[in-house]
Amino acid sequence: MVKIIFTTFLIVFIAELGDKTQLQTMLLATQSNTLWPVFVGASMALILSSLLGVIAGSYLTRYVPASYLQTSAGVVFIVIGILTLAGKI
């Protein structure tokens, strides 16, 4: 169980570094006199989005094989990357 927690932490931590959400959080922090409300709000948002991902993932794997979900996620990421490079997103 500790291995799963550590792996999940590491993957999410690395994925979140430097993304648009972190940049927006930094901008909000520059506009605030106190950092705690920004930290608490950003933390709650990440917790809620992670909870929704866990619930959706556990629900989907009941009906769709995990290999299909992994392949679909990979294809979606590639398509988003191509659209981003093409300036469509």
Side-chain angles (χ1 to χ4, degrees):
M1 181 147 109
V2 173
K3 182 179 178 184
I4 294 171
I5 292 171
F6 179 74
T7 303
T8 303
F9 170 83
L10 192 61
I11 289 171
V12 172
F13 182 77
I14 290 171
E16 291 297 322
L17 285 178
D19 74 345
K20 292 184 282 187
T21 305
Q22 187 181 34
L23 296 174
Q24 183 62 39
T25 303
M26 286 189 291
L27 289 173
L28 287 170
T30 65
Q31 299 171 358
S32 179
N33 293 332
T34 176
L35 301 180
W36 283 107
V38 176
F39 174 75
V40 170
S43 298
M44 289 172 36
L46 183 57
I47 289 169
L48 180 60
S49 66
S50 296
L51 177 64
L52 291 174
V54 169
I55 291 170
S58 65
Y59 178 77
L60 283 174
T61 55
R62 292 181 191 167
Y63 304 103
V64 180
S67 62
Y68 291 172
L69 293 174
Q70 289 174 338
T71 301
S72 299
V75 169
V76 168
F77 278 118
I78 290 170
V79 169
I80 289 172
I82 291 170
L83 292 174
T84 300
L85 289 173
K88 303 290 184 184
I89 293 181

